[in-house]
Amino acid sequence: CGAPLVIIYLQELFDNYIYDKDDIKAITEAPYIGELPTDESTSNFRLRKDSKTVMAEMFRLLRTNLNYLTGSREKDVFLITSSISGEGKTFCSINIASVFALSKKKTILLGLDLRKPKIFGDFDIKNDIGVVNYLIKDASLEEVTQKTSIPNLDVITSGPVPPNPSELLMNEQMDQLMAVLKEKYDYIILDSPPLGLVTDAIQLVKHSDANIYVIRQNYTQKGMLSFINEKYQNGEVKNISFVLNYF
């Protein structure tokens, strides 16, 4: 009768994946602000003006919680990141930007994952010009900003893949871009690279008012969460909160 118990013990010992919010809370004291349920849709868009799905309601709840975290200011910058690719970071960025725009707030979504551009496909827009062109002073803000089908929502895609993404995100032109956007928009959503893979996201944290870290059930490993929790505890990353993605 001891063999099954040993097997169960070993499975739990070597099972390093996150399954629910209790796993998250066991690792970090940073706020847990919501979860995204599974559904059968194949589109990254979950929000339209009158959407009443469970997923749409969860993004509305996320909007409320994010406003609570930042004190419901009139202008905010939110950075969305994760540990690795495939956890739903871009999915969350698109819908968080959409839910703020649908509340009649002027919103812009920036594709700052310069190594793996994604956002343009979901909005059915081109990626031949974007943030990279602005940062190398090859295009103006007006030239890289694109309208979307969602009222009040603009997008700046990443543009062509550069040889030096980290250096571009650190330069003064990035600081200038954020300063101008803060004057023009109520909400700025930064779709950043995965924080667990490259240093780009860390460099972008200085621009954000709150950082949303996306965890995917049965995909994100506990060690990855411990990594970001260490940065949170030593003050390298502040104002971070976690979203659990079941999708």
Side-chain angles (χ1 to χ4, degrees):
C1 63
L5 293 177
V6 171
I7 293 173
I8 293 172
Y9 171 76
L10 290 174
Q11 286 176 336
E12 291 182 353
L13 181 64
F14 293 104
D15 186 358
N16 194 37
Y17 293 98
I18 292 174
Y19 292 100
D20 54 35
K21 64 181 180 181
D22 291 335
D23 289 335
I24 298 173
K25 291 182 177 181
I27 297 173
T28 179
E29 295 181 354
Y32 175 85
I33 61 169
E35 57 191 46
L36 304 174
T38 58
D39 66 20
E40 297 179 355
S41 176
T42 57
S43 169
N44 267 342
F45 282 106
R46 293 298 191 276
L47 283 143
R48 294 290 184 268
K49 184 177 181 180
D50 300 315
S51 296
K52 299 186 183 300
T53 64
V54 174
M55 185 71 82
E57 290 303 319
M58 291 309 298
F59 275 110
R60 293 187 181 102
L61 178 60
L62 274 180
R63 177 181 63 197
T64 299
N65 289 340
L66 288 172
N67 280 332
Y68 176 79
L69 283 175
T70 58
S72 298
R73 293 187 301 237
E74 293 183 358
K75 291 178 178 288
D76 276 312
V77 179
F78 297 113
L79 180 144
I80 321 294
T81 190
S82 64
S83 299
I84 57 175
S85 298
E87 291 170 305
K89 171 183 62 66
T90 298
F91 167 71
C92 288
S93 298
I94 289 171
N95 288 286
I96 288 173
S98 299
V99 78
F100 277 111
L102 290 171
S103 67
K104 298 182 180 180
K105 296 294 184 179
K106 197 170 182 183
T107 305
I108 188 162
L109 171 61
L110 273 68
L112 297 180
D113 192 347
L114 305 187
R115 291 174 172 84
K116 289 188 176 181
K118 292 181 181 178
I119 288 177
F120 60 97
D122 296 294
F123 287 99
D124 195 25
I125 55 180
K126 295 181 179 180
N127 188 46
D128 53 353
I129 187 172
V131 172
V132 170
N133 301 87
Y134 180 87
L135 295 180
I136 63 175
K137 300 182 180 181
D138 187 45
S140 67
L141 180 59
E142 290 72 23
E143 290 174 316
V144 300
T145 303
Q146 301 188 62
K147 299 290 183 182
T148 73
S149 59
I150 298 175
N152 306 306
L153 179 59
D154 293 342
V155 170
I156 301 179
T157 65
S158 58
V161 177
N164 57 338
S166 295
E167 288 75 11
L168 280 181
L169 294 175
M170 289 176 63
N171 71 21
E172 293 181 358
Q173 193 75 352
M174 184 67 200
D175 296 336
Q176 179 181 326
L177 173 62
M178 292 303 301
V180 173
L181 293 179
K182 287 177 182 180
E183 292 294 324
K184 295 185 64 175
Y185 293 91
D186 300 312
Y187 291 99
I188 302 170
I189 312 300
L190 308 180
D191 178 40
S192 84
L195 194 147
L197 293 179
V198 294
T199 60
D200 301 5
I202 291 290
Q203 296 165 9
L204 294 169
V205 163
K206 67 177 182 178
H207 298 294
S208 62
D209 298 303
N211 305 293
I212 299 93
Y213 200 92
V214 181
I215 296 167
R216 186 173 178 182
Q217 184 205 36
N218 198 24
Y219 188 89
T220 304
Q221 296 186 7
K222 293 176 182 177
M224 298 173 181
L225 184 55
S226 297
F227 168 78
I228 184 60
N229 185 56
E230 181 180 342
K231 292 186 177 296
Y232 171 71
Q233 289 182 329
N234 66 26
E236 192 173 351
V237 177
K238 299 179 180 179
N239 298 327
I240 195 166
S241 55
F242 294 96
V243 171
L244 181 57
N245 181 18
Y246 286 94
F247 174 64

